[in-house]
Amino acid sequence: MSLNEKKRLLQISLLSITVAVVISIIAKFLVLLIHLVTNICFYGSFDTSFRSPADNHLGLFVIILPAIGGLLVGLMALFGSKAIRGHGIPEAMEQVLTNQSKIKPSIAFLKPISSAIVIGSGGPFGAEGPIIATGGALGSTIGQLFKITPNERKVILAAGATAGMSAIFGTPIAAVFLAIELLLFEFSPKAILPVALACITGAAGHQLLFESGPVFPMPDLESPTNLALGIYSAIGIVIGFISLGLTKIVYWIEDVFEQLPLHWMWWPAIGGIAVGTIGYFSPHTLGVGYDNITSVLSGNVPLALMLSLCFFKFLSWAIALGSGTSGGTLAPLLTIGGTAGAILGTLVQLFFPDSGISISMAALIGMSSMFAGASRAYLTSITFALEATMQSHALLPLLGACTASYLISFFFMENTIMTEKIARRGIYTPDSYEPDVLRRITISDVLGKGSKTNEVYHTKARMQHHFPVLRENDPLSKAVKLLASSNEDSLPVFGSEDSTKVIALFTYKDVLHAYKLHHQENEQAGVNLSLKRGRMKMMIKSRRMLGKRNQ
């Protein structure tokens, strides 16, 4: 990395830290605003302290409140910006992939306000989705105010989004992994350092503006036995299949709303009626529900209540999200996964009392593996559970369960809950983070395999004055960069031993040839592996036949 690039990295890092400071304050404001709207709607008091909407005494009137909130959000989306609809992360991903990470500045204040109205009136969402979307919008806005590249703007967008998550939960490592897995689609110093600094700043904001300690406190967990590890991994498999069904149902409901003969502005209000009706029969489904997650992780919630919370929270959230209101996915997924894991753990204890598993551990791996299966944010899921609870003995069970859930999702579901919406619009989301082939291959690796050295040259001196200098040991990435900036179809390559001798002519065809060699190497490795497997099978078959003859 050149000195100029390092200076740019420092500038982007300082901008990312600035965004993180601002988004930490906005995160506190959002939480207080949610509490205020909740207290006004359900208790008629102008108060910013936390009170669960589940304790309300409104009777049937509770059905109307989420519908009113949905109607207000529909009007804000119609006259403000349609981009406030949805759960935030897919919309940010779409802007990163298709619009040079440009998000309308209005989203930075419309999203938190609309989300506070929805959640405060009973919407079954958490504060983390809206603050991630708000942080991304703020980062993108800052990036548009300065003369920076689209990739640098992407980094600031990701820094703002993940700093918001870190400010809400105090989980900076998980926030960095979220940026890598769902927003950056790369792993490099110029991307990771600004994001990491922003997430650290967000975590400091959490300590200052919220509280210290784990955001989801739970009883201390013991190190599991091998039998318990196997059971936890099996629970992860079951949760993986549940995450498949959950994702499909959410988008099926969205398709149903698309068929309604009504303007989309009315959909959130219709979804709000369903949310209110479900909340009337199951009040714990209303609102953020972080207290529900803590209760489930305690391992002391009755089975009947867990069954009710799991089913009705999912139904309420799926309808609300499918209606296109302003909400998020993380908190509902954690609630649904945690209750599902605790239910499975209870059943295992009931039929196998000597299994050695813990209900609290089963709930923790349930909520983490649900997020891993639904979003395929594998590392984010594991580190979030560890940071949010500070339970180090949960590491191995989390690895087993999240890996199992991830495998089920990978093999049985083409898109995730985060990518399905944008995939339907024809937008491809990267699913692997391989190093740049052109950085690993030098010019000398492709010389003589498509390059030419002939009469196209004049004098060496003239070429050195009019062409950028390439050496045979330079990486192809440098050659491509110089080729693009010089507006030439080809560039001379000078030898490493004799710097005055032109040994080849580098063209765009050499770049294509490099990619061809890379793919041929991978294909050949696959063929060789297949041949080895075939030979091994033949050897085993021959030995079996020989054994039968000897008998």
Side-chain angles (χ1 to χ4, degrees), residues 29 67 319 338 389 415 428 514 537:
F29 168 77
I319 294 174
T389 62
N415 297 303
Y428 169 73
K537 289 180 180 180

Side-chain angles (χ1 to χ4, degrees), residues 41-43 51-62 280 283:
C41 291
F42 290 92
Y43 302 103
R51 292 183 70 181
S52 173
D55 300 326
N56 74 86
H57 301 286
L58 296 177
L60 289 173
F61 185 70
V62 77
Y280 174 76

Side-chain angles (χ1 to χ4, degrees), residues 19-94:
V19 171
V21 171
V22 176
I23 203 62
S24 297
I25 298 172
I26 294 176
K28 181 64 176 181
F29 168 77
L30 173 61
V31 171
L32 292 177
L33 186 58
I34 291 173
H35 293 169
L36 176 62
V37 177
T38 300
N39 285 315
I40 292 174
C41 291
F42 290 92
Y43 302 103
S45 62
F46 199 83
D47 187 8
T48 57
S49 61
F50 170 73
R51 292 183 70 181
S52 173
D55 300 326
N56 74 86
H57 301 286
L58 296 177
L60 289 173
F61 185 70
V62 77
I63 298 176
I64 306 299
L65 284 178
I68 296 174
L71 179 60
L72 291 175
V73 169
L75 291 171
M76 291 179 67
L78 181 64
F79 296 104
S81 174
K82 191 177 179 180
I84 66 172
R85 305 172 71 227
H87 47 107
I89 295 180
E91 290 74 19
M93 293 171 69
E94 182 176 6

